[in-house]
Amino acid sequence: MDSFRDVPEFFEVEIGESLLSRTETLASFRELGPPDLCHVIKSTGKTGQKDIGSYHYVSGVDASSSASLAAYLNSLTYAVEDSQAWFSKSITWKVRSGCYCCFNAFSRVDMRVDVKIPGGVQAYVVDVRGERHEATPELWQETYLSAMLRAILYADDVNYRLAGYRKLDPITTPEGEIRFLQAAEVLFMKGWQLGSDPEIQVASVVSNHLASGVMKYFGDSFRYDQAVNLFEKLHAKEPDVASLLAQAYIGMNEEVKGVQIIASALRENPQAYTLLHVQCDFLRSKGKTEWALQLARQAVNCAPSEFATWSKLTEVYTELGMYDSALLTLNSCPMFTYNERDLHRMPTPAKTHLPIKQFIADSNILDEDGAKDSDADVALLRLPAPGLRGTFAKAYALLARLVSQIGWDELLKTRSAVFVMEEEYRAQKAQAASQTPTKESQVIMEDGSIRDSGVALSNGNHRHSADDDASTRGIQSPPDGGSVGSVAATTGNPNLNVNTVPPIPVIKVSTESDREKEHEELRKQGVDVNGTEAISEHPGAEGSDAGDEHGQEITFGSQAGRALEKPVAAAANEEADDANGGRSSPRPGEKQIPPGDGFSFSNKRLCERWLDNLFMVLYEDLRIWTIFRAEVAHYKTQHVAYRKTGTEWEILGELGLRLHHKEEAKEAFLRCLEQKFSAKAWMKLLEMFADENDLQRSLNAAIRLTAYQHRWYQESSYPTAIAHHLYKLGRIHGHAKISYTILSMGLPEGLLNMMQGYLNYGKLFKVEGFDY
């Protein structure tokens, strides 16, 4: 046979095409890079028989030297499947040569090792231009750490699904862990070169894939003591590491030590938002949300361009029940384009070989999806929320949490109270069009600057007929103006002449060409057209987002405890309302004030377009969920079984989790598993069972997930989500009880050995619970 027994393979049409394709795509790798590529050439050694080339993806192989990579290639020579022919002489295929490719994410080069069997080993470096260079010890160290981080961070990454991807244990001995820590210490200051999570705009020394990999590896097994030792050494060189050090101390229940480190570091660097976030999360865990609010505000002031600071502030506002502030803060989040993971672009293979181990096939645990179970309602398949990524997925989660606490109707009321609604905009525009422009009226221009309407409209009145959906900024009431009633109440003169009150300003909607014409005319008149300077001269002008890529921001004072500031115009209107008998602007559901009666929404913001889209995504989720629950209730009253396909139950379970209906989601996942095997459903249930401290059901889910992962070549025991949940249970029950429970389940030998792999790792690395 020309294939491996238990190793996936993609056979090439032309030998070496996978290596050529990888070389061509090296320049497109932006962060950690793709998994390692293992290419082999097999031969029969007979004249006239063509050689064949095949490849597969792999991670977890020790890439610290050419010898370790050559050893992996040599191990494949023993994995060639034997021929099953009995009565004829079979053709024997052997591995003649191989090439192992491992991407160095620090230097952006590809480390390659060519092996001739029998023969020698040659190691070299290929850069993004395809040129070869000599491999140095420094490059080998960077390559080793890059390979370890890919194995750790890609272990359970739902956004990194790749067929034929073999995952091995990256660290199997305490000596290997020490080598990993040493390499991390040496290269830690270069970690920012690797990139960061999608929610981080600018990678830093403490916000990057290297720091995330170290925290994930030690955090999933609750062994923060090793991470503390590393961060203590680094903290002496780089004070910013204090946030990671404090987080590790808190994780190992050394909270006093962690708080002391935070206090000391903030005295030296009070502008470190990562430190403020660690302290904020600690206070929230202790129920001191009001204190956490001050820290979250200060973090926004320190890093206003980071999504993480705004999202953290939104979470705190939501916990405190300040839903209007939460919605305004969410609207101010800077959103970043999601960059997909680094992947190969390979040519179509001649054939694919994806073998399954015999004991897994015999266990009957994995039931391949049947055609009837794969069918689902089109409305469920087309839900847009599962396709969200990066900052948009995080923002949707914040919005879903908000609606789970106050409900959809209250969310809409809050939305109309803080954002400009279309009806209000049209009413204001109609009023502006009916008024005769005067020199006293003011207009906010497209660039954010404030001009007299007489100057702004000097080029004609055609701008009033601009597209209603064009971009607008906001409305600014004159600082000394307001409604007639409010001015009379403020001055105490009921006979105040109405003509002395400046009229309500109008919205200026213009196109790009109009704006250029206006700027040119203003320059001729000697007027400065710098939008930012103009806004700074009018402190009451809100909605000024000139030069700001993410729209209007919430402005906070320099002090951490300062409340959310209201625009000057809004504050003036409220003071006038108080003087006018406490009458305020109409809320949703109340009678609207006609446009001619002094209506103004200058205390409102413009809702960002991406947030509007998320409202529509959330509405679609809620609509489907409401229909589903209504159908369930109806069928129950009729005493009729409610039937869905396995795929539909799976989608409904995910929908329930997104909308924070945990019990209903659990029921949907269980109904899904009654009809088909679903790794996604089992993983969600394992997380729920572990949180509920249900040992028996957790092990039942873990066994099936382990068999599924080994079926698709994820042969590593740690770090995986399964190991994390088992170690969480081990802290309570102890590993001995888990081991005896597994033995009592009467598993086949192969499955039993796979489950024991988690406990063997815990014993070797002394995970909490291994000794009881």
Side-chain angles (χ1 to χ4, degrees):
M1 299 291 287
D2 59 353
S3 57
F4 294 127
R5 276 192 300 273
D6 300 323
V7 179
E9 279 185 287
F10 300 97
F11 291 87
E12 297 176 311
V13 177
E14 295 184 7
I15 295 178
E17 64 182 7
S18 61
L19 295 176
L20 180 61
S21 177
R22 182 180 174 100
T23 302
E24 292 174 349
T25 56
L26 283 178
S28 65
F29 301 150
R30 292 181 293 270
E31 294 187 344
L32 284 177
D36 302 348
L37 177 69
C38 181
H39 177 266
V40 296
I41 298 176
K42 300 173 191 171
S43 174
T44 61
K46 294 184 178 181
T47 306
Q49 184 74 38
K50 290 181 62 176
D51 295 345
I52 57 175
S54 67
Y55 61 91
H56 65 272
Y57 310 110
V58 63
S59 64
V61 179
D62 182 5
S64 59
S65 66
S66 59
S68 59
L69 297 182
Y72 176 78
L73 286 169
N74 186 61
S75 69
L76 296 177
T77 61
Y78 304 101
V80 179
E81 195 168 5
D82 297 331
S83 175
Q84 302 296 325
W86 289 359
F87 304 106
S88 62
K89 190 173 182 180
S90 61
I91 299 175
T92 303
W93 292 87
K94 294 183 179 179
V95 177
R96 180 169 63 85
S97 64
C99 179
Y100 194 99
C101 308
C102 187
F103 186 70
N104 182 339
F106 290 91
S107 299
R108 325 305 297 174
V109 296
D110 208 28
M111 189 73 71
R112 299 188 180 181
V113 175
D114 286 339
V115 177
K116 308 294 183 183
I117 303 175
V121 177
Q122 181 185 9
Y124 56 94
V125 174
V126 176
D127 62 17
V128 294
R129 295 182 297 274
E131 300 174 356
R132 291 195 178 191
H133 303 276
E134 182 183 356
T136 63
E138 292 77 14
L139 289 176
W140 273 115
Q141 187 177 47
E142 293 176 353
T143 305
Y144 163 76
L145 189 57
S146 300
M148 290 295 101
L149 292 176
R150 282 192 293 269
I152 293 170
L153 295 176
Y154 289 172
D156 295 299
D157 192 344
V158 296
N159 298 321
Y160 207 97
R161 301 291 186 184
L162 194 62
Y165 183 10
R166 191 182 186 194
K167 300 178 182 179
L168 305 176
D169 283 307
I171 299 174
T172 56
T173 62
E175 293 77 16
E177 185 173 278
I178 293 174
R179 187 192 312 160
F180 170 65
L181 288 170
Q182 290 174 344
E185 181 181 356
V186 172
L187 297 173
F188 195 85
M189 299 307 166
K190 293 183 179 180
W192 61 270
Q193 300 176 11
L194 302 178
S196 60
D197 292 335
E199 293 81 10
I200 304 298
Q201 183 182 29
V202 180
S204 64
V205 175
V206 295
S207 299
N208 56 65
H209 286 311
L210 176 54
S212 299
V214 171
M215 292 300 292
K216 173 179 169 58
Y217 179 79
F218 293 107
D220 281 2
S221 58
F222 308 99
R223 295 190 302 124
Y224 286 103
D225 53 335
Q226 299 292 335
V228 163
N229 294 335
L230 171 65
F231 295 142
E232 284 282 11
K233 299 175 185 176
L234 295 170
H235 184 232
K237 306 175 185 177
E238 177 57 59
D240 289 345
V241 183
S243 60
L244 297 174
L245 180 59
Q247 191 175 348
Y249 268 122
I250 294 174
M252 61 185 294
N253 294 325
E254 292 285 348
E255 296 178 347
V256 175
K257 183 69 173 175
V259 171
Q260 290 175 347
I261 291 173
I262 294 174
S264 175
L266 283 176
R267 279 194 290 268
E268 297 178 4
N269 184 13
Q271 300 299 315
Y273 80 90
T274 52
L275 277 169
L276 294 170
H277 277 185
V278 174
Q279 189 176 8
C280 177
D281 291 336
F282 176 72
L283 289 173
R284 289 166 63 192
S285 67
K286 300 300 180 183
K288 300 293 184 181
T289 315
E290 294 82 1
W291 297 358
L293 176 60
Q294 302 179 25
L295 296 169
R297 285 172 171 168
Q298 184 63 24
V300 169
N301 290 332
C302 296
S305 62
E306 286 290 347
F307 174 86
T309 57
W310 292 92
S311 63
K312 184 75 69 177
L313 181 59
T314 304
E315 292 175 7
V316 177
Y317 274 135
T318 304
E319 290 180 6
L320 287 172
M322 303 170 65
Y323 304 120
D324 51 349
S325 297
L327 205 53
L328 284 170
T329 307
L330 180 61
N331 187 59
S332 298
C333 287
M335 307 303 287
F336 315 132
T337 302
Y338 177 76
N339 294 321
E340 296 291 342
R341 301 294 191 190
D342 294 328
L343 289 170
H344 293 93
R345 290 195 295 269
M346 290 296 181
T348 304
K351 68 174 182 176
T352 301
H353 177 62
L354 301 174
I356 180 174
K357 293 181 180 179
Q358 190 60 40
F359 71 90
I360 295 179
D362 295 339
S363 66
N364 294 324
I365 289 180
L366 305 181
D367 181 20
E368 298 296 332
D369 296 347
K372 63 185 181 76
D373 289 333
S374 298
D375 294 336
D377 187 2
V378 176
L380 293 175
L381 293 174
R382 292 182 177 177
L383 284 175
L388 297 174
R389 295 288 183 270
T391 53
F392 296 97
K394 178 67 174 176
Y396 176 84
L398 294 172
L399 195 60
R401 183 180 177 188
L402 193 61
V403 77
S404 70
Q405 294 191 14
I406 64 176
W408 177 250
D409 292 339
E410 192 63 31
L411 178 63
L412 290 183
K413 290 180 182 179
T414 306
R415 180 193 184 198
S416 62
V418 298
F419 294 137
V420 176
M421 296 291 102
E422 183 178 1
E423 294 78 6
E424 298 171 340
Y425 161 67
R426 293 186 183 280
Q428 189 76 12
K429 184 180 178 183
Q431 176 197 3
S434 64
Q435 288 182 344
T436 303
T438 62
K439 293 184 179 181
E440 288 83 0
S441 56
Q442 293 178 326
V443 176
I444 294 185
M445 308 297 290
E446 184 75 15
D447 61 353
S449 59
I450 300 176
R451 298 287 177 253
D452 291 339
S453 59
V455 176
L457 300 176
S458 59
N459 289 332
N461 295 324
H462 64 278
R463 296 180 188 86
H464 286 294
S465 61
D467 185 8
D468 289 346
D469 294 329
S471 174
T472 59
R473 291 307 177 200
I475 295 182
Q476 170 58 42
S477 299
D480 54 348
S483 64
V484 176
S486 61
V487 173
T490 304
T491 58
N493 184 7
N495 299 320
L496 182 67
N497 187 0
V498 175
N499 295 328
T500 62
V501 180
I504 296 176
V506 298
I507 291 180
K508 175 66 174 65
V509 181
S510 66
T511 62
E512 188 71 25
S513 59
D514 294 335
R515 189 164 62 251
E516 292 300 327
K517 294 177 182 178
E518 292 162 3
H519 285 184
E520 184 62 29
E521 180 146 344
L522 290 173
R523 291 190 189 97
K524 291 179 181 179
Q525 299 178 13
V527 180
D528 184 15
V529 296
N530 190 327
T532 304
E533 294 179 2
I535 293 171
S536 63
E537 294 171 2
H538 296 75
E542 78 172 90
S544 54
D545 57 353
D548 189 348
E549 64 179 348
H550 58 271
Q552 294 89 353
E553 294 185 359
I554 302 173
T555 305
F556 299 106
S558 58
Q559 299 179 357
R562 189 172 176 183
L564 185 66
E565 289 186 355
K566 294 184 178 180
V568 174
N573 288 341
E574 288 189 1
E575 292 175 1
D577 291 337
D578 293 339
N580 199 24
R583 194 156 39 86
S584 60
S585 59
R587 296 184 177 275
E590 297 180 3
K591 185 178 179 180
Q592 297 292 327
I593 299 177
D597 293 344
F599 170 73
S600 173
F601 45 80
S602 56
N603 59 332
K604 291 190 174 186
R605 309 277 177 174
L606 293 179
C607 185
E608 293 290 338
R609 179 165 295 180
W610 62 264
L611 185 55
D612 258 341
N613 293 336
L614 287 187
F615 270 104
M616 297 306 299
V617 172
L618 179 61
Y619 170 77
E620 189 65 19
D621 273 359
L622 289 170
R623 185 181 71 84
I624 296 297
W625 182 258
T626 303
I627 294 173
F628 162 63
R629 295 309 300 172
E631 289 178 350
V632 171
H634 174 71
Y635 275 76
K636 280 185 178 180
T637 58
Q638 300 297 322
H639 303 286
V640 179
Y642 186 64
R643 302 187 183 279
K644 291 280 187 183
T645 66
T647 301
E648 288 175 337
W649 282 118
E650 179 184 304
I651 296 174
L652 289 170
E654 291 184 284
L655 176 59
L657 283 183
R658 285 200 302 272
L659 299 178
H660 300 275
H661 298 291
K662 186 175 180 180
E663 291 302 320
E664 293 86 349
K666 183 197 293 187
E667 180 185 357
F669 285 134
L670 291 173
R671 295 286 294 273
C672 165
L673 296 174
E674 292 175 0
Q675 302 187 37
K676 72 167 191 174
F677 178 89
S678 169
K680 187 180 296 183
W682 275 119
M683 184 61 73
K684 298 296 184 183
L685 287 174
L686 173 60
E687 183 178 352
M688 295 179 188
F689 294 152
D691 291 339
E692 296 168 1
N693 196 21
D694 191 336
L695 179 60
Q696 188 68 42
R697 301 176 79 181
S698 296
L699 290 177
N700 189 32
I703 290 169
R704 283 157 173 76
L705 285 169
T706 301
Y708 173 83
Q709 291 187 349
H710 276 70
R711 161 64 183 97
W712 296 109
Y713 318 110
Q714 186 170 344
E715 304 169 24
S716 60
S717 298
Y718 187 83
T720 60
I722 302 173
H724 171 65
H725 295 305
L726 289 180
Y727 294 152
K728 182 191 298 184
L729 292 167
R731 303 175 75 188
I732 301 172
H733 299 282
H735 289 196
K737 182 178 180 180
I738 294 177
S739 178
Y740 294 140
T741 305
I742 293 174
L743 286 172
S744 68
M745 301 175 77
L747 300 175
E749 184 179 358
L751 290 176
L752 181 62
N753 292 336
M754 289 190 303
M755 293 302 298
Q756 290 292 344
Y758 301 114
L759 301 177
N760 292 337
Y761 177 91
K763 182 178 180 180
L764 183 63
F765 290 92
K766 296 182 171 55
V767 177
E768 184 179 355
F770 81 98
D771 52 352
Y772 59 86

